[in-house]
Amino acid sequence: MKYMFASDIHGSAYYCRRMTEAYKEEGAERLVLLGDLLYHGPRNDLPREYAPKEVIRMLNEMKQEIYAVRGNCEAEVDQMVLEFPVMADYCILVIDGKTFYATHGHIYNKDNLPPMKTGDILIHGHTHILKAKDMDGYILLNPGSVSIPKKDNPPTYAILEDGLFSIKDFDGNTVKSIKL
């Protein structure tokens, strides 16, 4: 199965559209959203084409294909308008025999690890900085930010297929990858 991971849309209809187009072009079967879907947050400037209602519509159209976790910008009102669960702090995915601890990153991250075994994978967003790194005993992944990347990163998402985690920009270029 082919998975797409994305984080930090922050209400950008432009980048949500780009993300859903990439999802279709990639032929992914599941979209894992790592939080901060609708609201831009008090520390961020408004992203390009800030239109949370349009993002709601686009994501609800894909509700059968989405797994999502709560970001630090999600609120109860977001769950009232989104037709798929978004309020869990994390979800556990077992993909090809590997355990992924998927979370936003504001609670669990490299400085506050969740309960994981050696070889497990921690994947989160929140920092808006892409990462694919073999750490001491686990793998740390971050697909970057769809709409508000930081530290000179481009807007990105990630694809997991056949054990290869590839972080890509919206032109289809692989920015970083790691074999899991």
Side-chain angles (χ1 to χ4, degrees), residues 5 34 91 93 95-103 108-125 130-143 158-160 162-167 176-180:
F5 292 85
L34 300 172
C91 75
L93 302 168
I95 302 171
D96 298 329
K98 298 194 181 299
T99 300
F100 287 72
Y101 194 101
T103 189
Y108 297 109
N109 52 58
K110 69 178 181 61
D111 297 321
N112 184 36
L113 291 174
M116 299 191 319
K117 288 185 168 185
T118 299
D120 285 352
I121 299 162
L122 174 61
I123 182 166
H124 67 79
L130 62 90
K131 188 167 288 226
K133 188 173 181 182
D134 196 344
M135 303 295 281
D136 187 26
Y138 70 98
I139 295 173
L140 179 62
L141 304 174
N142 187 324
I159 293 293
L160 175 62
D162 298 328
L164 184 64
F165 185 84
S166 302
I167 301 171
K176 190 168 184 85
S177 65
I178 188 171
K179 187 72 173 163
L180 305 179

Side-chain angles (χ1 to χ4, degrees), residues 9 12-20 47-48 146-147 155 170:
I9 301 167
S12 171
Y14 175 82
Y15 283 108
C16 186
R17 192 174 310 107
R18 300 277 318 260
M19 179 192 72
T20 58
R48 183 173 178 179
V146 168
S147 70
F170 286 107

Side-chain angles (χ1 to χ4, degrees), residues 68-111:
V69 296
R70 177 181 71 88
N72 57 304
C73 291
E74 259 75 60
E76 288 182 29
V77 69
D78 297 337
Q79 187 61 83
M80 294 169 70
V81 296
L82 291 169
E83 298 172 3
F84 52 91
V86 296
M87 295 306 288
D89 286 330
Y90 64 89
C91 75
I92 305 295
L93 302 168
V94 178
I95 302 171
D96 298 329
K98 298 194 181 299
T99 300
F100 287 72
Y101 194 101
T103 189
H104 181 61
H106 65 296
I107 297 172
Y108 297 109
N109 52 58
K110 69 178 181 61
D111 297 321

Side-chain angles (χ1 to χ4, degrees), residues 8-15 37-41 44-52 55 145-148:
D8 299 285
I9 301 167
H10 286 292
S12 171
Y14 175 82
Y15 283 108
L37 307 179
L38 303 178
Y39 180 55
H40 65 88
N44 297 313
D45 292 330
L46 287 176
R48 183 173 178 179
E49 251 183 74
Y50 182 67
V55 172
S145 173
V146 168
S147 70
I148 309 174

